[in-house]
Amino acid sequence: QVQLVESGGGLVQAGGSLRLSCAASERTFRMLALGWFRQVPGKEREFVATISWSGGRTDYTDSVKGRFTISKDNAKNTGYLQMNSLKPEDTAVYYCAARQLTSSTKGDEYDYWGQGTQVTVSS
């Protein structure tokens, strides 16, 4: 069983930056693809970014392209989501998810989820 723990959320002004971390318990972290999703109360969960197990493939939702960067450090069993030029519409609870090998934009294809971290962007 893979346990994921997100951290790094908080309150930031528009235009600011945050880096979310996703720490994994699994020693085979290097074989895991990661995804970041976000959810606003009353709305469906939204795909944000994904990275394959090797880091060789990444995908982003259009609204964050050029502003967010997903990465993973296999030596530290940790994934990251660097968020720059934040906008009020980025406000949400952000979730890290993991699955074997291949990246995916579909939340239903992930096997493991973290508890979420709140990101609030003030205008």
Side-chain angles (χ1 to χ4, degrees), residues 38 47-49 60-69 90 94:
R38 63 188 180 187
F47 163 74
V48 177
Y60 300 88
T61 191
D62 286 345
S63 64
V64 308
K65 285 180 180 177
R67 300 188 298 123
F68 291 11
T69 302
D90 294 318
Y94 283 71

Side-chain angles (χ1 to χ4, degrees), residues 15-18 64 66-69 82-87 90:
S17 298
L18 284 174
V64 308
R67 300 188 298 123
F68 291 11
T69 302
Q82 177 67 44
M83 305 186 297
N84 299 328
S85 302
L86 282 161
K87 303 175 180 180
D90 294 318

Side-chain angles (χ1 to χ4, degrees), residues 43-61:
K43 294 188 176 181
E44 291 188 356
R45 181 179 60 200
E46 176 189 22
F47 163 74
V48 177
T50 183
I51 187 168
S52 62
W53 70 277
S54 65
R57 179 182 174 90
T58 58
D59 288 295
Y60 300 88
T61 191

Side-chain angles (χ1 to χ4, degrees), residues 41-123:
K43 294 188 176 181
E44 291 188 356
R45 181 179 60 200
E46 176 189 22
F47 163 74
V48 177
T50 183
I51 187 168
S52 62
W53 70 277
S54 65
R57 179 182 174 90
T58 58
D59 288 295
Y60 300 88
T61 191
D62 286 345
S63 64
V64 308
K65 285 180 180 177
R67 300 188 298 123
F68 291 11
T69 302
I70 189 171
S71 62
K72 61 189 304 239
D73 185 336
N74 291 331
K76 296 182 178 179
N77 285 4
T78 303
Y80 302 98
L81 184 68
Q82 177 67 44
M83 305 186 297
N84 299 328
S85 302
L86 282 161
K87 303 175 180 180
E89 51 263 44
D90 294 318
T91 296
V93 177
Y94 283 71
Y95 296 91
C96 174
R99 65 191 302 268
Q100 293 293 328
L101 298 179
T102 56
S103 58
S104 174
T105 64
K106 301 177 182 178
D108 291 347
E109 294 185 349
Y110 285 83
D111 300 307
Y112 309 103
W113 290 83
Q115 82 289 350
T117 185
Q118 176 71 46
V119 171
T120 303
V121 184
S122 63
S123 57

Side-chain angles (χ1 to χ4, degrees), residues 8-19:
L11 173 64
V12 64
Q13 289 187 333
S17 298
L18 284 174
R19 188 177 77 160

